[in-house]
Amino acid sequence: QKEVEQDPGPLSVPEGAIVSLNCTYSNSAFQYFMWYRQYSRKGPELLMYTYSSGNKEDGRFTAQVDKSSKYISLFIRDSQPSDSATYLCAMSEGQNFVFGPGTRLSVLP
Amino acid sequence: DGGITQSPKYLFRKEGQNVTLSCEQNLNHDAMYWYRQDPGQGLRLIYYSQIVNDFQKGDIAEGYSVSREKKESFPLTVTSAQKNPTAFYLCASSMFGEVNEQFFGPGTRLTVL
Protein backbone atom coordinates (compact mmCIF):
# COMPACT_ATOMS: atom_id res chain seq x y z
CA GLN A 1 0.00 0.00 0.00
CA LYS A 2 1.35 3.43 -0.94
CA GLU A 3 1.80 5.87 1.92
CA VAL A 4 -0.42 8.49 0.26
CA GLU A 5 -2.98 7.89 -2.46
CA GLN A 6 -4.82 10.59 -4.33
CA ASP A 7 -8.00 10.61 -6.42
CA PRO A 8 -9.65 11.24 -8.74
CA GLY A 9 -7.45 10.75 -11.75
CA PRO A 10 -7.31 13.47 -14.43
CA LEU A 11 -10.47 15.53 -14.07
CA SER A 12 -12.28 17.84 -16.51
CA VAL A 13 -15.14 20.02 -15.28
CA PRO A 14 -17.12 22.94 -16.72
CA GLU A 15 -16.49 26.43 -15.41
CA GLY A 16 -18.50 27.09 -12.24
CA ALA A 17 -18.51 23.46 -11.07
CA ILE A 18 -17.66 22.37 -7.53
CA VAL A 19 -14.53 20.24 -7.52
CA SER A 20 -13.62 17.70 -4.86
CA LEU A 21 -10.05 16.38 -4.62
CA ASN A 22 -9.14 13.70 -2.10
CA CYS A 23 -6.21 11.92 -0.48
CA THR A 24 -6.00 8.93 1.80
CA TYR A 25 -2.95 8.05 3.85
CA SER A 26 -1.73 5.22 6.01
CA ASN A 27 0.50 6.87 8.65
CA SER A 28 -1.65 7.97 11.60
CA ALA A 29 1.24 10.07 12.95
CA PHE A 30 0.80 12.77 10.30
CA GLN A 31 -0.23 16.05 11.94
CA TYR A 32 0.10 18.70 9.22
CA PHE A 33 -1.76 18.54 5.95
CA MET A 34 -1.15 20.69 2.91
CA TRP A 35 -2.44 21.27 -0.58
CA TYR A 36 -0.16 22.53 -3.34
CA ARG A 37 -1.13 23.78 -6.78
CA GLN A 38 1.27 23.26 -9.66
CA TYR A 39 0.85 24.90 -13.04
CA SER A 40 2.44 23.21 -16.03
CA ARG A 41 6.26 23.46 -16.01
CA LYS A 42 6.26 25.46 -12.76
CA GLY A 43 7.14 24.65 -9.16
CA PRO A 44 4.31 23.76 -6.75
CA GLU A 45 2.90 26.64 -4.70
CA LEU A 46 1.43 26.18 -1.25
CA LEU A 47 -2.34 26.69 -1.39
CA MET A 48 -3.50 25.77 2.11
CA TYR A 49 -2.34 23.99 5.19
CA THR A 50 -4.23 22.65 8.20
CA TYR A 51 -3.23 21.14 11.50
CA SER A 52 -5.00 18.01 12.73
CA SER A 53 -8.69 17.40 11.99
CA GLY A 54 -11.13 20.09 10.92
CA ASN A 55 -11.97 22.50 8.14
CA LYS A 56 -10.22 25.57 6.81
CA GLU A 57 -11.65 27.97 4.28
CA ASP A 58 -9.86 30.48 2.08
CA GLY A 59 -12.01 32.17 -0.52
CA ARG A 60 -13.27 29.55 -2.96
CA PHE A 61 -11.11 26.83 -1.41
CA THR A 62 -11.97 24.63 1.58
CA ALA A 63 -9.65 22.02 3.06
CA GLN A 64 -11.02 19.24 5.24
CA VAL A 65 -9.09 16.78 7.38
CA ASP A 66 -10.56 13.66 8.99
CA LYS A 67 -7.75 12.02 10.91
CA SER A 68 -9.97 9.21 12.18
CA SER A 69 -10.53 8.10 8.57
CA LYS A 70 -7.06 9.17 7.40
CA TYR A 71 -8.73 11.20 4.68
CA ILE A 72 -8.26 14.78 3.48
CA SER A 73 -10.14 16.77 0.87
CA LEU A 74 -9.88 20.01 -1.04
CA PHE A 75 -13.07 21.60 -2.37
CA ILE A 76 -13.03 24.31 -5.01
CA ARG A 77 -16.24 26.28 -5.45
CA ASP A 78 -17.16 28.18 -8.61
CA SER A 79 -14.17 26.71 -10.43
CA GLN A 80 -12.43 28.93 -12.98
CA PRO A 81 -10.26 28.12 -16.02
CA SER A 82 -7.35 29.63 -14.04
CA ASP A 83 -7.77 26.77 -11.53
CA SER A 84 -6.56 24.34 -14.23
CA ALA A 85 -3.45 22.80 -12.69
CA THR A 86 -2.18 19.72 -10.90
CA TYR A 87 -3.10 19.59 -7.21
CA LEU A 88 -0.80 17.78 -4.82
CA CYS A 89 -1.68 16.82 -1.28
CA ALA A 90 1.12 16.60 1.26
CA MET A 91 1.40 15.66 4.89
CA SER A 92 4.07 15.70 7.53
CA GLU A 93 5.06 14.64 10.99
CA GLY A 94 8.34 16.06 12.20
CA GLN A 95 10.73 15.89 9.28
CA ASN A 96 8.81 13.09 7.55
CA PHE A 97 7.19 14.88 4.62
CA VAL A 98 5.21 12.95 1.98
CA PHE A 99 3.46 14.07 -1.23
CA GLY A 100 0.60 12.46 -3.06
CA PRO A 101 0.99 11.78 -6.80
CA GLY A 102 -1.27 14.68 -7.80
CA THR A 103 -4.57 15.18 -9.62
CA ARG A 104 -4.61 17.08 -12.90
CA LEU A 105 -7.64 19.37 -13.09
CA SER A 106 -8.92 21.04 -16.26
CA VAL A 107 -11.68 23.64 -15.94
CA LEU A 108 -13.31 24.20 -19.31
CA PRO A 109 -14.72 27.63 -20.21
CA ASP B 1 11.36 39.66 -2.57
CA GLY B 2 12.03 36.49 -0.60
CA GLY B 3 12.03 33.27 -2.50
CA ILE B 4 13.81 30.32 -4.03
CA THR B 5 15.63 30.54 -7.33
CA GLN B 6 16.78 27.68 -9.51
CA SER B 7 19.02 27.86 -12.51
CA PRO B 8 19.12 27.14 -15.30
CA LYS B 9 15.46 26.73 -16.28
CA TYR B 10 16.34 24.29 -19.07
CA LEU B 11 19.48 22.17 -19.27
CA PHE B 12 20.68 19.78 -21.93
CA ARG B 13 23.36 17.23 -21.22
CA LYS B 14 25.18 14.66 -23.28
CA GLU B 15 25.37 11.14 -21.94
CA GLY B 16 28.38 10.63 -19.70
CA GLN B 17 28.56 14.23 -18.49
CA ASN B 18 28.02 15.51 -14.97
CA VAL B 19 25.85 18.60 -14.57
CA THR B 20 25.15 20.82 -11.56
CA LEU B 21 21.78 22.42 -10.85
CA SER B 22 21.73 25.54 -8.73
CA CYS B 23 19.31 26.31 -5.89
CA GLU B 24 19.44 29.47 -3.78
CA GLN B 25 17.02 30.75 -1.15
CA ASN B 26 16.82 34.01 0.79
CA LEU B 27 14.02 32.95 3.13
CA ASN B 28 16.45 32.17 5.97
CA HIS B 29 15.14 28.61 5.95
CA ASP B 30 17.18 25.94 7.68
CA ALA B 31 16.16 22.93 5.60
CA MET B 32 16.49 22.44 1.86
CA TYR B 33 15.35 19.60 -0.38
CA TRP B 34 15.77 18.25 -3.89
CA TYR B 35 12.97 16.39 -5.64
CA ARG B 36 12.63 14.75 -8.99
CA GLN B 37 9.28 14.83 -10.78
CA ASP B 38 8.38 12.45 -13.59
CA PRO B 39 5.00 12.33 -15.32
CA GLY B 40 2.45 10.39 -13.28
CA GLN B 41 4.85 9.69 -10.40
CA GLY B 42 4.57 12.74 -8.19
CA LEU B 43 7.58 14.06 -6.30
CA ARG B 44 10.41 11.79 -5.24
CA LEU B 45 12.95 12.95 -2.68
CA ILE B 46 16.60 12.85 -3.79
CA TYR B 47 18.48 14.54 -0.93
CA TYR B 48 17.70 16.88 1.93
CA SER B 49 19.71 19.01 4.31
CA GLN B 50 18.60 20.34 7.68
CA ILE B 51 21.73 22.33 8.53
CA VAL B 52 24.90 23.56 6.86
CA ASN B 53 27.51 20.89 6.12
CA ASP B 54 25.04 18.07 6.72
CA PHE B 55 22.71 16.25 4.33
CA GLN B 56 20.86 12.94 4.07
CA LYS B 57 19.89 10.67 1.20
CA GLY B 58 16.28 10.53 0.17
CA ASP B 59 14.49 7.73 -1.65
CA ILE B 60 16.35 7.97 -4.95
CA ALA B 61 19.85 9.32 -4.15
CA GLU B 62 21.82 6.96 -6.41
CA GLY B 63 23.59 8.86 -9.17
CA TYR B 64 23.21 12.25 -7.47
CA SER B 65 25.38 14.29 -5.10
CA VAL B 66 24.85 17.49 -3.12
CA SER B 67 26.71 19.95 -0.92
CA ARG B 68 25.54 22.44 1.69
CA GLU B 69 28.41 24.86 2.34
CA LYS B 70 26.12 27.86 2.90
CA LYS B 71 22.67 28.11 4.42
CA GLU B 72 21.35 29.81 1.29
CA SER B 73 22.64 27.33 -1.27
CA PHE B 74 22.07 23.63 -1.99
CA PRO B 75 23.43 22.62 -5.43
CA LEU B 76 22.62 19.22 -6.92
CA THR B 77 25.01 17.37 -9.22
CA VAL B 78 23.55 14.79 -11.58
CA THR B 79 26.38 12.40 -12.30
CA SER B 80 26.95 10.10 -15.25
CA ALA B 81 26.00 7.21 -12.92
CA GLN B 82 22.36 8.33 -12.97
CA LYS B 83 20.85 5.99 -15.55
CA ASN B 84 17.77 7.98 -16.46
CA PRO B 85 18.35 11.63 -15.58
CA THR B 86 15.84 13.27 -17.92
CA ALA B 87 13.26 14.81 -15.55
CA PHE B 88 11.98 17.98 -13.92
CA TYR B 89 14.02 18.84 -10.80
CA LEU B 90 12.54 20.87 -7.97
CA CYS B 91 14.30 22.48 -5.03
CA ALA B 92 12.38 23.36 -1.86
CA SER B 93 13.10 24.86 1.53
CA SER B 94 11.41 25.00 4.92
CA MET B 95 11.95 26.16 8.45
CA PHE B 96 13.27 23.42 10.71
CA GLY B 97 10.70 22.80 13.35
CA GLU B 98 7.29 21.40 14.07
CA VAL B 99 5.53 23.18 11.22
CA ASN B 100 7.59 22.70 8.13
CA GLU B 101 5.54 23.42 5.03
CA GLN B 102 7.86 23.46 2.06
CA PHE B 103 8.23 26.26 -0.45
CA PHE B 104 9.38 25.42 -3.97
CA GLY B 105 11.53 26.99 -6.63
CA PRO B 106 10.46 27.19 -10.30
CA GLY B 107 12.28 24.00 -11.30
CA THR B 108 14.92 22.93 -13.81
CA ARG B 109 14.08 20.68 -16.72
CA LEU B 110 17.03 18.44 -17.55
CA THR B 111 17.17 16.60 -20.85
CA VAL B 112 19.85 14.09 -21.72
CA LEU B 113 20.63 13.95 -25.41
Side-chain angles (χ1 to χ4, degrees):
Chain A
Q1 181 189 9
K2 292 183 181 178
E3 196 163 15
V4 179
E5 301 199 33
Q6 193 165 345
D7 66 79
L11 184 61
S12 290
V13 301
E15 184 174 354
I18 296 173
V19 175
S20 173
L21 306 173
N22 310 292
C23 286
T24 57
Y25 62 94
S26 56
N27 185 350
S28 58
F30 287 134
Q31 297 273 19
Y32 296 93
F33 303 90
M34 287 142 278
W35 286 95
Y36 287 82
R37 178 176 61 196
Q38 185 178 22
Y39 291 113
S40 181
R41 299 195 179 109
K42 304 287 186 185
E45 56 178 326
L46 181 65
L47 201 56
M48 298 183 73
Y49 94 86
T50 53
Y51 171 69
S52 196
S53 287
N55 293 0
K56 186 173 184 178
E57 189 172 320
D58 184 1
R60 295 183 295 110
F61 298 88
T62 300
Q64 284 186 352
V65 175
D66 182 349
K67 288 192 69 180
S68 63
S69 301
K70 300 194 189 72
Y71 189 86
I72 70 171
S73 299
L74 178 70
F75 298 97
I76 306 174
R77 291 185 299 279
D78 187 26
S79 55
Q80 302 295 309
S82 59
D83 295 328
S84 298
T86 296
Y87 290 81
L88 304 162
C89 64
M91 44 208 73
S92 72
E93 181 271 326
Q95 292 305 303
N96 182 20
F97 200 105
V98 179
F99 286 89
T103 292
R104 183 181 295 177
L105 172 67
S106 298
V107 181
L108 308 175
Chain B
D1 285 338
I4 304 174
T5 57
Q6 290 185 243
S7 61
K9 187 173 182 178
Y10 298 98
L11 185 57
F12 298 90
R13 188 195 93 174
K14 293 182 180 179
E15 283 193 22
Q17 287 182 335
N18 293 353
V19 290
T20 297
L21 283 57
S22 169
C23 177
E24 304 274 335
Q25 54 97 2
N26 61 4
L27 300 168
N28 199 32
H29 284 169
D30 302 297
M32 297 185 74
Y33 311 81
W34 274 105
Y35 291 91
R36 170 180 172 140
Q37 188 174 38
D38 296 282
Q41 293 195 44
L43 300 176
R44 292 186 289 168
L45 182 64
I46 304 173
Y47 269 98
Y48 66 100
S49 167
Q50 294 175 347
I51 56 172
V52 173
N53 292 323
D54 187 48
F55 47 83
Q56 286 77 41
K57 293 182 179 180
D59 301 320
I60 57 164
E62 185 175 350
Y64 300 97
S65 66
V66 293
S67 63
R68 185 87 186 276
E69 297 177 1
K70 297 187 299 182
K71 185 176 183 178
E72 302 80 19
S73 178
F74 191 40
L76 173 75
T77 297
V78 184
T79 75
S80 57
Q82 169 49 235
K83 291 183 171 54
N84 185 20
T86 294
F88 188 48
Y89 290 88
L90 287 159
C91 178
S93 70
S94 72
M95 293 297 291
F96 183 73
E98 189 173 347
V99 180
N100 64 342
E101 62 265 34
Q102 296 185 12
F103 296 88
F104 284 83
T108 293
R109 185 166 299 277
L110 172 64
T111 302
V112 174
L113 304 173

